[in-house]
Amino acid sequence: MGVVMFYHLTASGMEETARALLTRSLQAGWRVMLRGTDAAGLERLDQILWQGPAESFLPHGLAGGPHDAQQPILLGTGAIANGAKALMAVEGAEVSLDEARGLERVFILFNGHDDVAVAAARVQWKTLTGAGLAAQYWSEENGSWEKKAG
């Protein structure tokens, strides 16, 4: 059982934060499932990841292709289909207690300027920590990330 890490986005965008966390996850040797709630949003993220610098390319694919199981990073709205050891939830995507227990890392990125997103993250925090999972809460302060809890 790993750690659930909440990222309260107030200055950095989701794409920028996701890129940094995805890079670290691959460096740790983990496959990652990036789960969103909107196919169009995931397609946009797919395009952004393809446009990054060649030296920091993140190998990935959109779920629903013939090679989902081999993708180091799989972008989708459903279940983990690539043997991932890390799950990144964006756009308010759900993370079940059972799947979180079996992962090395869960990243929950939420928009700190959206009251609905903040409220949903609070519910996720209470649910996951209430079940005994280790969690950390990270917030952007003065242009850098600071651990506020955990």
Side-chain angles (χ1 to χ4, degrees):
M1 180 170 27
V3 177
V4 181
M5 301 177 78
F6 288 77
Y7 286 86
H8 188 152
L9 306 173
T10 55
S12 299
M14 184 274 291
E15 295 87 357
E16 175 186 351
T17 304
R19 181 182 290 281
L21 295 171
L22 290 168
T23 298
R24 288 188 209 142
S25 295
L26 291 181
Q27 290 170 345
W30 302 328
R31 288 178 185 248
V32 182
M33 175 73 188
L34 189 149
R35 181 182 295 151
T37 58
D38 174 51
L42 292 172
E43 288 173 11
R44 194 170 41 257
L45 180 58
D46 174 52
Q47 291 301 314
I48 290 168
L49 292 176
W50 279 110
Q51 295 168 3
E55 63 276 4
S56 61
F57 174 70
L58 294 169
H60 70 282
L62 285 168
H67 304 290
D68 286 0
Q70 289 82 37
Q71 293 293 343
I73 299 169
L74 185 63
L75 311 177
T77 59
I80 295 171
N82 64 337
K85 291 294 181 190
L87 171 64
M88 184 176 297
V90 300
E91 304 167 339
E94 292 293 321
V95 176
S96 79
L97 185 56
D98 286 338
E99 70 185 342
R101 283 188 173 126
L103 297 167
E104 293 293 326
R105 191 77 74 238
V106 175
F107 303 102
I108 297 175
L109 282 58
F110 63 98
N111 182 345
H113 302 292
D114 179 340
D115 292 340
V116 173
V118 171
R122 285 186 180 132
V123 169
Q124 285 180 308
W125 175 274
K126 288 178 184 177
T127 299
L128 297 171
T129 59
L133 291 175
Q136 297 177 3
Y137 170 77
W138 292 80
S139 180
E140 293 176 291
E141 302 288 332
N142 304 316
S144 63
W145 288 100
E146 291 183 18
K147 187 166 116 177
K148 298 292 187 173

